[in-house]
Structures are given as structure tokens and as C-alpha cells.
């Protein structure tokens, strides 16, 4: 990672942290209930088929190439303070970038790369009271999207799921039903679409970008028995994933799985796993649809004191 890239990361982190802190302490009341009613109900955006590519997919609208996103890792200390871990370009992280943002009321932070240049340019955040808001890296871009998101146990934004450029949101409710919200580059989202039931069997769901090399967004899910499954994306907004493929067992040795995109700099999305002893591991992506990760590499220790989001 170049000096300029690290500088861009740190500028983006500062802007997002400040916007998040301001939004969290604004004291505005929000409507509760079904997020399909309270979130912005913009008209459905047109989908564009993602062309296939080994490491990246071209944007249908402009013809230029999408880069695999690389995000910093967000971590909340027990006292509520937010730390950022910037990738060091060698498959690990630099020392923590400490902030003055108290995030004790935050449940999820979903980083996004809306213009697909490989860098973070915004984030959705969900408070414990169910409020969803969006903050871009530009001053004054923070806005409230809606309330009612406390009905979801798991929320993530793995990237573009329905064929258009912007990142989308997946949310699993307490009954195990997964829903998808299409996102706009200003943080607004469409009404939700039901993906399907049965997702309550998974204790961890993670993903950021393409894992099998076809240019579409994929996710992995770990079931209660510790088996990890791959769900490859197909670009269909009504049924965005193909049938699951078994990756392997033994993943219950980890208490957290997440992805920040390409951590080792090879253009492929990777997976981060935190062991029950606090050790941090990297599983580098290799593009194989049946065995998408290389053998794990240890990249840190002592992470059990942090809430990795």
C-alpha cells in the first residue's frame, strides 16, 4: 500500500468518525417499526449485468474496471472508543489509529466503496436503538436513513448484489429470514426484498466482493456445527445467491469472521478470522469456487478485548 493510499485511508477514517459521533449525539427522534416502511423508499434502480472477470468486473455504465475494495478494520474497545486498523499492504495491519469517537451505542458499521475505485467512500451505521444513518467522506454528508433496524440480528454490506454499481445491504431478522436493500451512492436504500428463510442456522455471515472470480459479490456463512459454506452471487435482485457449496468444517474455533476486502494486495477478497484465544488469522482468497481460501496465516494476537465490526 502506497503512502498516498494510507493518507486517503486516514482522511476517510477521520471524516467518518466525526460524522458518526455527530449523528450519534444529535438527539433526534426516529420512527420505529418495519424498516421497509421507515427507510427511504426510492424507486427501484435499474440493474446492470456484471461482466465476468478473473480479478475484477467492468462497470456496465462506463466500461472502466472495478477494483477489489480494501477497507480498514473497525474495532470498538470495551469502553466504547473506536479504533481503526489500516491494512499495511503485506497482509496485516498497521498499529491502531485511535479516535475520539465513543461508539458504545453502535451495533453495526457497514463500510462501502460506492464508486468502485477500491477505497472506502462511506459507511452505513446502525445504532442499538435501530437507527440507520449514512456518512460519506465529504463534509456534511451524514444523514439519517430511517429507524426500525433493531429487528435484525445480522446486517452486512458485502458489495453490489443486484448488478448496479452501488453497494447493497443484507439483513437477517430474528426469525432467520434474510432481506436485501438496494443502496444508492448517497446512502438511501430501497424497500426491502425477501431473499429467503433458514439463515438463522448461521452464527457468522461475512463477505466483501468476489470470491470465485466471476465478478459478482459472494458471501460465506458458518453454521452452528462449525461448517463454512460459500454462497456465490448471481446478480438477481430477487434471488441473489446460487445454491451453497460446502467449504469445510472446524470453523467453530473462531468467534468472529469478517471481510474487509483485499487485505494482502493480490486483487482478491480475503477473510479475517479471530480465534477463541484472540489470535487474528488471514485466509487469502484464491478464486476457487469449491475451496476459495488458501491456508491461514497468523497476522496478530490479543484481539479478544475488541468488538470487531
Amino acid at each position: 500500500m502506497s503512502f498516498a493510499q494510507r493518507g486517503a485511508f486516514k482522511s476517510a477514517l477521520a471524516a467518518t468518525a466525526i460524522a458518526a459521533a455527530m449523528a450519534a449525539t444529535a438527539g433526534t427522534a426516529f420512527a420505529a417499526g418495519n424498516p421497509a416502511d421507515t427507510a427511504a423508499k426510492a424507486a427501484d434502480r435499474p440493474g446492470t449485468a456484471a461482466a465476468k472477470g478473473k480479478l475484477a468486473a467492468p462497470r456496465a455504465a462506463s466500461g472502466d474496471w472495478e477494483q477489489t475494495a480494501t477497507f480498514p478494520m473497525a474495532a470498538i474497545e470495551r469502553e466504547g472508543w473506536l479504533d481503526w486498523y489500516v491494512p499495511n499492504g503485506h497482509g496485516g495491519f498497521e498499529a491502531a489509529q485511535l479516535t475520539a469517537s465513543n461508539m458504545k451505542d453502535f451495533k453495526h458499521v457497514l463500510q462501502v466503496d460506492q464508486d468502485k475505485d477500491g477505497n472506502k467512500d462511506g459507511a452505513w451505521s446502525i445504532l442499538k436503538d435501530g437507527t440507520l444513518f449514512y456518512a460519506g467522506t465529504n463534509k456534511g454528508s451524514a444523514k439519517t436513513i430511517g429507524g426500525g433496524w433493531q429487528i435484525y440480528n445480522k446486517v452486512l454490506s458485502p458489495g453490489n448484489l443486484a448488478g448496479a454499481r452501488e453497494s447493497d445491504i443484507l439483513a437477517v431478522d430474528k426469525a432467520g429470514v434474510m432481506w436485501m436493500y438496494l443502496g444508492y451512492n448517497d446512502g438511501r436504500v430501497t424497500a426491502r426484498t425477501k431473499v429467503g428463510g433458514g439463515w438463522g442456522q448461521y452464527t457468522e455471515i461475512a463477505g466483501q466482493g468476489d470470491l470465485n472470480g466471476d465478478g459478482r459479490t459472494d458471501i460465506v456463512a458458518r453454521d452452528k456445527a462449525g461448517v463454512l459454506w460459500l454462497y456465490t452471487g448471481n446478480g438477481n435482485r430477487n434471488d441473489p445467491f446460487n445454491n451453497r457449496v460446502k467449504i469445510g468444517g472446524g470453523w467453530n474455533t473462531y468467534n468472529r469472521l469478517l471481510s474487509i476486502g483485499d487485505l494482502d494486495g493480490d486483487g482478491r477478497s480475503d477473510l479475517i478470522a479471530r480465534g477463541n484465544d484472540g489470535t487474528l488469522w488471514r485466509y487469502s482468497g484464491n478464486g476457487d469456487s469449491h475451496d476459495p481460501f488458501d491456508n491461514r496465516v497468523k497476522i496478530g494476537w490479543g484481539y479478544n478485548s475488541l468488538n470487531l465490526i
Side-chain angles (χ1 to χ4, degrees):
M1 180 177 293
S2 68
F3 177 82
Q5 286 176 311
R6 290 192 180 95
F9 260 129
K10 293 172 184 177
S11 297
L13 300 185
T16 303
I18 292 171
M22 291 176 61
T25 58
T28 305
F30 304 104
N34 191 327
D37 298 323
T38 56
K41 291 185 178 180
D44 291 348
R45 63 179 194 200
T48 56
K52 293 183 177 181
K54 189 61 177 176
L55 296 180
R59 301 179 197 166
S62 61
D64 56 343
W65 288 86
E66 295 181 0
Q67 296 185 39
T68 302
T70 301
F71 297 134
M73 183 174 69
I76 298 178
E77 299 178 8
R78 288 174 179 170
E79 297 80 8
W81 301 111
L82 173 68
D83 299 338
W84 291 106
Y85 289 84
V86 175
N88 60 16
H90 304 289
F93 296 103
E94 295 183 354
Q97 300 290 320
L98 308 180
T99 75
S101 299
N102 193 320
M103 308 282 279
K104 64 181 180 180
D105 293 326
F106 284 66
K107 188 175 182 180
H108 305 283
V109 176
L110 318 177
Q111 302 180 80
V112 294
D113 173 20
Q114 303 288 37
D115 59 10
K116 297 299 179 287
D117 66 351
N119 296 311
K120 171 181 177 175
D121 49 35
W124 282 293
S125 296
I126 300 174
L127 301 183
K128 292 177 181 178
D129 68 2
T131 303
L132 172 72
F133 67 86
Y134 181 82
T137 53
N138 296 323
K139 183 178 180 180
S141 62
K143 60 171 69 68
T144 301
I145 305 301
W149 289 75
Q150 70 274 12
I151 68 173
Y152 297 123
N153 287 332
K154 300 179 181 67
V155 186
L156 68 157
S157 179
N160 154 36
L161 290 161
R165 183 170 62 182
E166 296 83 2
S167 297
D168 306 313
I169 297 176
L170 294 175
V172 180
D173 65 25
K174 295 175 182 178
V177 178
M178 178 180 280
W179 303 85
M180 181 168 69
Y181 295 82
L182 304 187
Y184 290 86
N185 60 10
D186 63 356
R188 292 176 299 133
V189 295
T190 65
R192 65 182 188 173
T193 300
K194 184 177 180 179
V195 176
W199 291 85
Q201 67 181 299
Y202 297 119
T203 56
E204 290 284 298
I205 303 174
Q208 185 53 243
D210 177 29
L211 285 170
N212 68 341
D214 67 355
R216 299 185 187 278
T217 296
D218 310 312
I219 61 173
V220 294
R222 183 190 66 189
D223 65 25
K224 295 176 182 178
V227 177
L228 192 67
W229 301 86
L230 171 66
Y231 284 85
T232 56
N234 56 33
N236 183 348
R237 61 164 299 173
N238 297 310
D239 187 15
F241 297 113
N242 298 314
N243 292 336
R244 68 181 188 175
V245 175
K246 183 177 180 179
I247 296 175
W251 290 80
N252 270 346
T253 59
Y254 303 116
N255 58 37
R256 186 73 174 97
L257 301 178
L258 71 155
S259 177
I260 60 166
D262 179 19
L263 180 57
D264 59 10
D266 66 354
R268 299 183 187 276
S269 290
D270 309 314
L271 187 69
I272 297 171
R274 182 178 63 188
N276 292 324
D277 62 354
T279 302
L280 207 63
W281 303 87
R282 184 190 75 246
Y283 284 85
S284 294
N286 57 34
D288 189 326
S289 294
H290 298 280
D291 186 15
F293 301 114
D294 293 335
N295 293 335
R296 68 181 189 175
V297 175
K298 184 177 180 179
I299 58 174
W301 59 89
Y303 282 84
N304 262 349
S305 64
L306 301 171
N307 176 21
L308 305 182
I309 56 175

